[in-house]
Amino acid sequence: MSLNKLNKLPLRIGVGIVLLNSKNQVFVGKRIDNPVNFWQMPQGGVDNNENLMCAANRELKEETSVVSVKHIKEIENWLSYELPKNLLGKIWKGKYRGQKQKWFIMRFVGKEKEINVKTKNPEFKDWKWIDINQLLDVVVRFKFDVYKSIVKELNILLH
């Protein structure tokens, strides 16, 4: 497929989850398919006719096994990113050029042992809690603006 056609592909509709612990640190996972030291928050696609909040809860459970959460806030604006040229046509069976995401801020209210990234179809090989202001240091470049918006939102919400 030509680059011109790839650039005309639609954005995939998705959700993202900002999972905070009791110290207001953010959950990040290290993707299995990413050989470099980048981390991301749980996120994924929305099924046909699926409620966005339900999709967020499903994705969180699928990627982290976490179900013990308190919903804090839905970020008002949709956030989106475009894939870099080297990934266009390769990710999501080549159907999308990036993602348009609705993000949800949630508080983890369970015990740490509930968190398990070795799920049925694992996406993460490791996880950790980090300070909000470290997010921009660990995210892959093409998602930087999305994470920058989230950090701004969190700094307003939590301060």
Side-chain angles (χ1 to χ4, degrees):
M1 192 179 298
S2 73
L3 192 56
N4 195 26
K5 281 187 180 174
L6 289 171
N7 287 332
K8 290 188 170 125
L9 289 171
L11 291 173
R12 177 181 186 229
I13 301 299
V15 291
I17 301 96
V18 180
L19 187 65
L20 299 170
N21 67 12
S22 60
K23 298 174 188 168
N24 287 332
Q25 293 173 308
V26 181
F27 174 98
V28 289
K30 189 175 198 177
R31 289 189 59 89
I32 287 173
D33 61 4
N34 192 332
V36 191
N37 194 26
F38 292 119
W39 299 73
Q40 72 177 40
M41 293 180 279
Q43 55 192 309
V46 177
D47 294 335
N48 282 340
N49 301 317
E50 186 177 24
N51 171 284
L52 294 173
M53 177 64 78
C54 292
N57 287 326
R58 176 184 51 74
E59 283 293 334
L60 183 62
K61 183 179 179 185
E62 285 177 4
E63 294 183 10
T64 69
S65 306
V66 168
V67 293
S68 302
V69 295
K70 178 182 162 210
H71 297 271
I72 297 174
K73 181 178 183 180
E74 176 180 328
I75 294 178
E76 188 175 332
N77 297 324
W78 286 84
L79 303 175
S80 62
Y81 67 85
E82 305 269 337
L83 291 171
K85 287 182 179 50
N86 66 313
L87 295 178
L88 272 175
K90 295 178 182 162
I91 295 180
W92 307 306
K93 299 176 184 161
K95 294 184 196 172
Y96 305 100
R97 72 176 196 278
Q99 284 202 88
K100 177 181 175 182
Q101 301 170 311
K102 181 54 86 165
W103 281 83
F104 296 88
I105 301 171
M106 301 179 190
R107 170 89 53 209
F108 177 58
V109 294
K111 303 269 188 244
E112 291 264 322
K113 64 182 178 189
E114 179 179 338
I115 301 170
N116 178 14
V117 295
K118 292 175 177 57
T119 58
K120 183 178 174 188
N121 298 303
E123 292 194 28
F124 298 132
K125 60 181 168 187
D126 200 5
W127 71 273
K128 62 183 176 179
W129 297 107
I130 65 170
D131 290 327
I132 292 163
N133 293 312
Q134 289 178 291
L135 273 172
L136 300 180
D137 297 329
V138 302
V139 68
V140 67
R141 300 304 334 136
F142 63 88
K143 294 181 183 177
F144 185 84
D145 288 341
V146 168
Y147 277 55
K148 188 175 174 185
S149 296
I150 291 167
V151 167
K152 184 177 175 187
E153 186 85 29
L154 289 169
N155 280 322
I156 291 167
L157 179 71
L158 301 172
H159 293 98

